[in-house]
Amino acid sequence: MPLMRGGRTPARSDERLRFLFAVARDPMLILEAGPVLSECIIVDSNRKALELFGFRRGTLMGKPLSFLEVAGQAPAETPGDRESVQEALHRRADGQVLTLERHAQPIQSGDRDFLLVAFHDVTTARLLEKSLLRVQQMDNVGVLSGTLVHDFRNLLATILANAELALSETPHPDDPRERIAEILHSARRATELIERVLPADGGEEQRLRPLDLDSVVADALALIRPSLADNIELRHDLADRGLTIAGDATQIRQIVMNLVINAAEAIAPSRGTIRVSTAPIAASRINFQESPLPVTDPGDHWVCLDVSDTGCGIDAATRSRIFEPLFTTKPTGTGLGLTAVMYAVRRHGGAILLHSAPGKGATFRVLFPLLQT
Ligand SMILES: Nc1ncnc2c1ncn2[C@@H]1O[C@H](COP(=O)(O)OP(=O)(O)OP(=O)(O)O)[C@@H](O)[C@H]1O
Ligand SMILES: [Mg+2]
């Protein structure tokens, strides 16, 4: 296809452009010009673009640019005859999704108009930005809840101490006893709730030390089992073969409790099953990109802690916000359960993955680096 841009020596500038296009370090396509970039037809591709998208030249030629876009994700604007830069989700031949900035520039050849589109891969940059934003959001909540929790604990301690005293000092088992028992019940429940968000030492973190994941998980399940309603069956399938991780037992218990409570709430009021399992897993079988937490330089050996339920499942809208602090779909939820989980997982250098579909239950997979002993 001949190329030129209104130069006085068409044949030479044509050749020059052709050469530059072929050897450019940026991936580039040439499209037939049209009002909407996504609908413009691909007429040429340089080698870098073939590498970037992973398609053969023959496959791309004659296709609209939308062939390379993720369906429904094309930017709405039209380039008109001006230069334009857009950011859009594209797909590779192997299914991988790429975030690409694309810069379209009108060029002419004879009396025909074309667009030269150069691509710049910003996938990693956008992923990092997203993770950073999440981490910042979590830190904000961490600071906020740290002071709140401190006051909250002091208040509860006073309520509990007084109620217990009053109970022991009330001579007759009349009305007041019932009321006081209720105060005790609520205050205890409130203490449990707050323990799920931050550890008992006022938010101070214990050092990570080698621990056996299975025994900590078993402890957490023993704690939580009595509070589950009869309609829920809690099963476990622990690896039981010395899965040692560098961990903080309090935080691991929080992870298990928050995930199991969420699972139970997703099942209620029907009947259902929660399965908690642990197993060793190779890094090659983990898609770290799916985790909302960045994992830099993952080692080869990992341990997974899975919490699966047969509950209501999670739709796309909830899924896209599920790890945001304070995000909840429950009338009395705080939206801090999964934030606490994320906070703890991040501290352990771990990752978290979610598999779910509406009506099909959910599986949260928490991954920790295995400590080689
Ligand atoms: N296993 C699950 N099944 C279905 N939805 C879930 C599951 N786990 C979490 N969710 C969804 O994610 C949201 C956020 O969960 P998170 O634990 O952070 O807060 P919450 O459960 O709403 O409130 P809290 O933990 O304070 O009780 C929930 O409101 C729910 O919509
Ligand atoms: Mg919760």
Side-chain angles (χ1 to χ4, degrees):
M1 194 218 45
L3 286 174
M4 65 174 226
R5 213 193 161 194
R8 259 175 295 158
T9 49
R12 285 193 54 211
S13 68
D14 204 62
E15 258 172 44
R16 215 175 293 139
L17 262 174
R18 215 175 222 304
F19 177 73
L20 288 176
F21 177 68
V23 301
R25 286 169 55 168
D26 282 339
M28 292 181 184
L29 295 176
I30 294 173
L31 316 178
E32 278 174 2
V36 180
L37 190 56
S38 298
E39 289 164 16
C40 294
I41 300 297
I42 302 171
V43 293
D44 204 353
S45 164
N46 70 357
R47 195 172 46 83
K48 284 284 177 192
L50 296 179
E51 277 169 26
L52 176 71
F53 293 111
F55 285 104
R56 301 159 78 95
R57 173 180 298 277
T59 312
L60 291 187
M61 296 309 109
K63 300 266 175 20
L65 182 60
S66 59
F67 175 73
L68 292 171
E69 293 172 346
V70 174
Q73 298 287 326
E77 76 185 277
T78 56
D81 57 359
R82 286 179 329 227
E83 291 182 15
S84 71
V85 181
Q86 300 176 335
E87 188 170 309
L89 294 183
H90 295 73
R91 66 182 183 105
R92 277 179 52 87
D94 61 11
Q96 194 190 332
V97 173
L98 300 169
T99 309
L100 301 179
E101 234 171 50
R102 56 194 195 196
H103 179 247
Q105 161 114 22
I107 52 173
Q108 267 187 339
S109 177
D111 51 4
R112 292 182 63 192
D113 291 325
F114 295 92
L115 289 167
L116 176 67
V117 186
F119 295 87
H120 179 54
D121 190 349
V122 292
T123 313
T124 314
R126 294 295 172 266
L127 265 176
L128 284 176
E129 275 168 21
K130 246 200 219 162
S131 316
L132 194 66
L133 188 73
R134 287 223 170 95
V135 170
Q136 278 167 354
Q137 282 177 330
M138 282 192 292
D139 280 348
N140 290 343
V141 170
V143 172
L144 237 183
S145 55
T147 46
L148 268 182
V149 167
H150 186 74
D151 292 350
F152 192 69
R153 269 206 195 97
N154 285 344
L155 284 172
L156 283 174
T158 316
I159 296 174
L160 283 169
N162 279 304
E164 263 158 18
L165 261 178
L167 191 59
S168 62
E169 285 168 5
T170 304
H172 303 295
D174 294 333
D175 274 0
R177 281 189 76 87
E178 228 171 80
R179 296 229 171 90
I180 296 168
E182 217 161 279
I183 295 175
L184 277 173
H185 176 75
S186 308
R188 282 194 187 117
R189 170 101 184 97
T191 313
E192 275 168 31
L193 275 178
I194 211 71
E195 293 305 330
R196 281 173 39 208
V197 181
L198 279 181
D201 49 24
E204 244 173 64
E205 284 164 342
Q206 303 293 312
R207 291 225 340 251
L208 300 185
R209 52 189 98 226
L211 53 80
D212 177 46
L213 180 67
D214 285 335
S215 56
V216 181
V217 171
D219 282 355
L221 294 181
L223 275 174
I224 201 161
R225 197 179 287 277
S227 65
L228 293 179
D230 292 344
N231 54 326
I232 288 168
E233 190 187 348
L234 178 61
R235 289 195 193 160
H236 60 266
D237 180 13
L238 305 183
D240 219 6
R241 44 189 264 204
L243 299 178
T244 310
I245 63 166
D248 173 339
T250 310
Q251 284 191 329
I252 307 274
R253 276 195 290 271
Q254 282 172 357
I255 293 175
V256 177
M257 287 172 100
N258 277 307
L259 293 179
V260 170
I261 290 169
N262 277 349
E265 287 169 347
I267 292 171
S270 346
R271 301 191 72 78
T273 308
I274 303 172
R275 273 192 187 78
V276 179
S277 61
T278 58
I281 181 170
S284 56
R285 290 183 47 218
I286 305 167
N287 187 353
F288 287 103
Q289 290 223 349
E290 270 181 31
S291 171
L293 291 165
V295 175
T296 44
D297 195 18
D300 289 340
H301 303 286
W302 289 71
V303 178
C304 64
L305 161 65
D306 289 354
V307 179
S308 308
D309 65 67
T310 56
C312 59
I314 300 167
D315 61 21
T318 298
R319 200 195 160 100
S320 68
R321 303 194 53 198
I322 198 160
F323 294 112
E324 271 178 36
L326 307 176
F327 172 77
T328 181
T329 56
K330 300 170 192 168
T332 56
T334 65
L336 283 173
L338 286 176
T339 305
V341 170
M342 292 270 280
Y343 182 80
V345 174
R346 175 166 64 118
R347 219 185 132 230
H348 285 78
I352 183 162
L353 305 176
L354 164 59
H355 289 280
S356 180
K360 297 252 163 72
T363 299
F364 283 83
R365 166 166 285 188
V366 177
L367 293 143
F368 300 103
L370 180 70
L371 198 64
Q372 306 282 5
T373 45

